[in-house]
Amino acid sequence: SVCAACVSEGYRHIGTAVNRNEADVGLAIRDSGVPRQEVFVTSKIVAPRGRWSYDDVVEGVRLSNPKLGLEYIDRYLLHAPFDATTRADAWKALEDMQTEGVVRDIGVPNFGELHLQKLAQTWRVKPAVNQVELHSWLARADTVKYCKEQGILMEAYSPLARAQKMHDRTLKQVASEAGATSAQVLIAWSLANGENIDRRS
């Protein structure tokens, strides 16, 4: 499988999601021979019908854990902000699952500054990470600043701008001057800004 190939090539952070490939990811990691503690696994749950509920999130986590078959989940995410009226309950569910030890870290993807400020009114535990599309054409300065102030790790997905900007004139000029590829320049931009990188385009 792709996951097995990634682990054999040295990847140690594997992402998956509820109702996607959790079982395959777990099997690949178990069969890899790599000690469990050396692989960091993130999963996430999508809100059914665009609305969260406490019970939906608890059920999702409890289903994910045996599907993965890895004893615990390193990090679990709410997939997106979705309905503001149920967001706090969803986050409380993740906090409770963390307290139980089913998940170790909890976080969010695709949250802006206002989403996080609203969540901060009720959270007991801050998100460990905010996973968002982030690159030089989508810098999200306000969200990045807020997360840094709160000690929330910013994780950039699509740091290569979905490969839509590879022929940008300025980017190509910078790459030429640096003796690098366009992709290397974009990755360097993310690293220079202190972001963790999710390796997809």
Side-chain angles (χ1 to χ4, degrees):
S1 71
V2 172
C3 181
C6 288
V7 174
S8 69
E9 288 296 318
Y11 281 75
R12 292 296 181 265
H13 184 182
I14 307 295
T16 182
V18 172
N19 296 327
R20 292 198 181 169
N21 61 342
E22 287 178 318
D24 291 338
V25 165
L27 179 62
I29 292 170
R30 292 194 305 275
D31 288 350
S32 70
V34 176
R36 170 67 183 93
Q37 64 271 21
E38 292 184 14
V39 183
F40 193 95
V41 178
T42 297
S43 193
K44 64 181 72 169
I45 185 169
V46 177
R49 303 166 300 282
R51 285 179 61 86
W52 296 113
S53 79
Y54 180 94
D55 291 340
D56 285 338
V57 175
V58 168
E59 181 183 8
V61 175
R62 293 199 188 284
L63 288 173
S64 290
N65 207 28
K67 277 185 185 177
L68 284 161
L70 299 173
E71 297 183 17
Y72 60 88
I73 303 169
D74 295 285
R75 180 177 292 154
Y76 209 88
L77 310 176
L78 299 180
H79 186 261
F82 291 117
D83 188 349
T85 64
T86 58
R87 197 180 301 142
D89 285 342
W91 187 250
K92 183 179 186 301
L94 281 192
E95 291 173 327
D96 290 348
M97 291 295 94
Q98 185 183 40
T99 298
E100 283 190 24
V102 180
V103 299
R104 294 195 167 180
D105 271 347
I106 53 178
V108 294
N110 306 309
F111 273 52
E113 180 187 10
L114 295 180
H115 299 128
L116 291 165
Q117 287 175 340
K118 178 71 172 176
L119 193 62
Q121 295 173 12
T122 56
W123 70 32
R124 303 192 312 270
V125 178
K126 292 180 184 180
V129 66
N130 185 18
Q131 189 185 80
V132 298
E133 182 174 352
L134 204 61
H135 44 73
S136 57
W137 289 274
L138 191 60
R140 303 182 191 271
D142 290 343
T143 300
V144 169
K145 180 175 182 290
Y146 181 81
C147 286
K148 286 182 177 178
E149 290 171 350
Q150 293 293 324
I152 299 170
L153 176 67
M154 289 295 291
E155 185 170 273
Y157 70 76
S158 297
L160 304 185
R162 302 175 186 262
Q164 299 298 308
K165 299 288 188 179
M166 290 302 174
H167 301 293
D168 178 84
R169 185 174 178 179
T170 302
L171 175 60
K172 291 180 73 174
Q173 181 179 343
V174 171
S176 176
E177 291 173 358
T181 66
S182 294
Q184 287 170 331
V185 169
L186 292 176
I187 294 295
W189 183 90
S190 291
L191 293 174
N193 282 281
E195 292 138 16
N196 195 30
I197 296 174
D198 184 346
R199 288 174 174 81
R200 52 182 150 159
S201 65

